[in-house]
Amino acid sequence: MRILFFVLILFSSNSWAQSLGDTARSIRARGMGGVYVPFVGGADALFVNPAALGKGSVLDIKLMELTVGTNTELVENLSAFQSIDANDPSTFNQFYGKKMWAQATGKAAVALPFIALGYLNDSEVSVELHNPAFPQFETYFRNDEAVYLGSAFPIGPATYVGMSLKRVNRWGGNTQELAVSDVADASSLQDIGTNFQNKGTGYGLDLAISTELQAPVLKPTLALVWQDVGSTAFKQTAGSDAPPHIEQNLTFGAGLGVDLPGLDLALGLEARHLMEPDIELGKKIHVGAEISLPMIDLRAGYNQGYLSYGAGINLLIFQLDAVSYTEETGFYPGQAGDARYMVSLSFDLSFDANFKFTDNNGKKRKLKQRR
């Protein structure tokens, strides 16, 4: 641990950008205020905390996880885009100062004991109209397509070290001005993306260490995850310049788990961007809880100074999740909160050491033992 902290200090920097582990974080995490590092398991650990690959199922197959999200501004103004007339400036008035945001993410992965392979595709776009004299949308677009290979190994009782190697193809990742017609005529995120020409390929590394403390009832877990070690830079493959690189991110997570008959309880805390002194402490802290019943999961949390709420429905191999949360887009908590909503559908097959079917959180489902 001392060696790890020493290396972290050497690579510390003052710039900051969200890693894939942040932007493509699951709905379960967002419902718990962003907390996930101490609780993640199975195939999902590959993307969040590779040390957690050392525990869990004998086989976990994430055949599909599809997530879509939007913010309140887009929900309230989406239909109004149809009324935009490039020759009538008055039709733009209702959009000034409103930042509209959308995201779509797809994941697939296979995890065996101590090793996993996965795929992630994540797209994000935001637009905000300004300059009444010559109306234009200040537009951000990013698409990341990544392949992950991760592994973990034990270094002590219930203690694991893990790493994930990833190859990322990035498209966009910056902000530029677009004409009103470019945004109003777009029917998808990809349509907006055609206005962004910069593309690049980069290789990144995530490191992690996780331990579960021995306790009679509670299951205390501590985890330290270093994503994009030394930052992940991109080599230009198209356009006039390489996409912006992904800054490294150091995250500490702590969680408690209680397993009771018919009821599981998880409480956790997570602190991100620990190497970034310029980021307000309130933006780094995430706190959350989850109550799991046989078929329903209820979640709540505190994310960057705002409350979050979420729920999930387990239908054997299918799970449907939804969340309402607020993302701080300003420099400090409470400055510029953006209310957002997300839903996801996942399809998972997971088996424990006794070949009993479980869900992707390791919870046994009432199915007959497979021989």
Side-chain angles (χ1 to χ4, degrees), residues 258-331:
V258 181
D259 294 339
L260 301 173
L263 174 67
D264 295 339
L265 176 63
L267 300 171
L269 177 145
E270 194 169 304
R272 302 183 205 161
H273 306 289
L274 296 179
M275 294 184 289
E276 308 298 335
D278 294 337
I279 299 177
E280 289 282 339
L281 179 62
K283 288 192 65 175
K284 298 179 180 181
I285 301 300
H286 307 264
V287 180
E290 179 185 58
I291 297 175
S292 295
L293 303 172
M295 293 186 63
I296 299 176
D297 299 321
L298 302 175
R299 309 172 184 117
Y302 187 73
N303 174 65
Q304 299 182 327
Y306 304 92
L307 295 178
S308 62
Y309 310 91
I313 300 176
N314 292 300
L315 302 173
L316 294 180
I317 59 177
F318 293 98
Q319 177 148 342
L320 180 65
D321 294 279
V323 65
S324 172
Y325 71 104
T326 299
E327 189 78 9
E328 180 54 66
T329 59
F331 291 100

Side-chain angles (χ1 to χ4, degrees), residues 102-309:
Q103 183 178 9
T105 304
K107 293 180 187 177
V110 177
L112 296 167
F114 306 111
I115 191 168
L117 177 67
Y119 171 81
L120 182 149
N121 194 305
D122 182 49
S123 294
E124 182 180 8
V125 64
S126 66
V127 294
E128 182 175 2
L129 187 64
H130 64 102
N131 192 7
F134 300 97
Q136 287 186 311
F137 279 101
E138 183 179 80
T139 308
Y140 173 84
F141 172 82
R142 174 191 54 80
N143 173 258
D144 288 319
E145 184 180 38
V147 177
Y148 284 72
L149 176 62
S151 64
F153 59 91
I155 60 173
T159 302
Y160 302 90
V161 169
M163 64 179 294
S164 289
L165 299 172
K166 52 192 173 185
R167 182 182 187 271
V168 185
N169 293 321
R170 169 159 286 193
W171 174 13
N174 50 11
T175 302
Q176 68 183 53
E177 304 290 339
L178 295 184
V180 172
S181 58
D182 291 331
V183 175
D185 294 340
S187 59
S188 68
L189 302 185
Q190 301 299 315
D191 288 344
I192 293 178
T194 58
N195 297 282
F196 292 76
Q197 302 301 317
N198 293 339
K199 297 182 179 181
T201 299
Y203 296 86
L205 171 67
D206 298 342
L207 298 176
I209 183 170
S210 178
T211 184
E212 184 175 300
L213 306 179
Q214 301 302 311
V217 178
L218 301 177
K219 294 182 178 180
T221 299
L222 303 177
L224 186 67
V225 181
W226 186 13
Q227 294 176 324
D228 298 287
V229 176
S231 80
T232 298
F234 295 93
K235 182 179 180 181
Q236 177 186 346
T237 58
S240 59
D241 200 1
H245 60 277
I246 303 173
E247 293 291 350
Q248 59 191 343
N249 175 22
L250 179 64
T251 298
F252 170 77
L256 293 175
V258 181
D259 294 339
L260 301 173
L263 174 67
D264 295 339
L265 176 63
L267 300 171
L269 177 145
E270 194 169 304
R272 302 183 205 161
H273 306 289
L274 296 179
M275 294 184 289
E276 308 298 335
D278 294 337
I279 299 177
E280 289 282 339
L281 179 62
K283 288 192 65 175
K284 298 179 180 181
I285 301 300
H286 307 264
V287 180
E290 179 185 58
I291 297 175
S292 295
L293 303 172
M295 293 186 63
I296 299 176
D297 299 321
L298 302 175
R299 309 172 184 117
Y302 187 73
N303 174 65
Q304 299 182 327
Y306 304 92
L307 295 178
S308 62
Y309 310 91

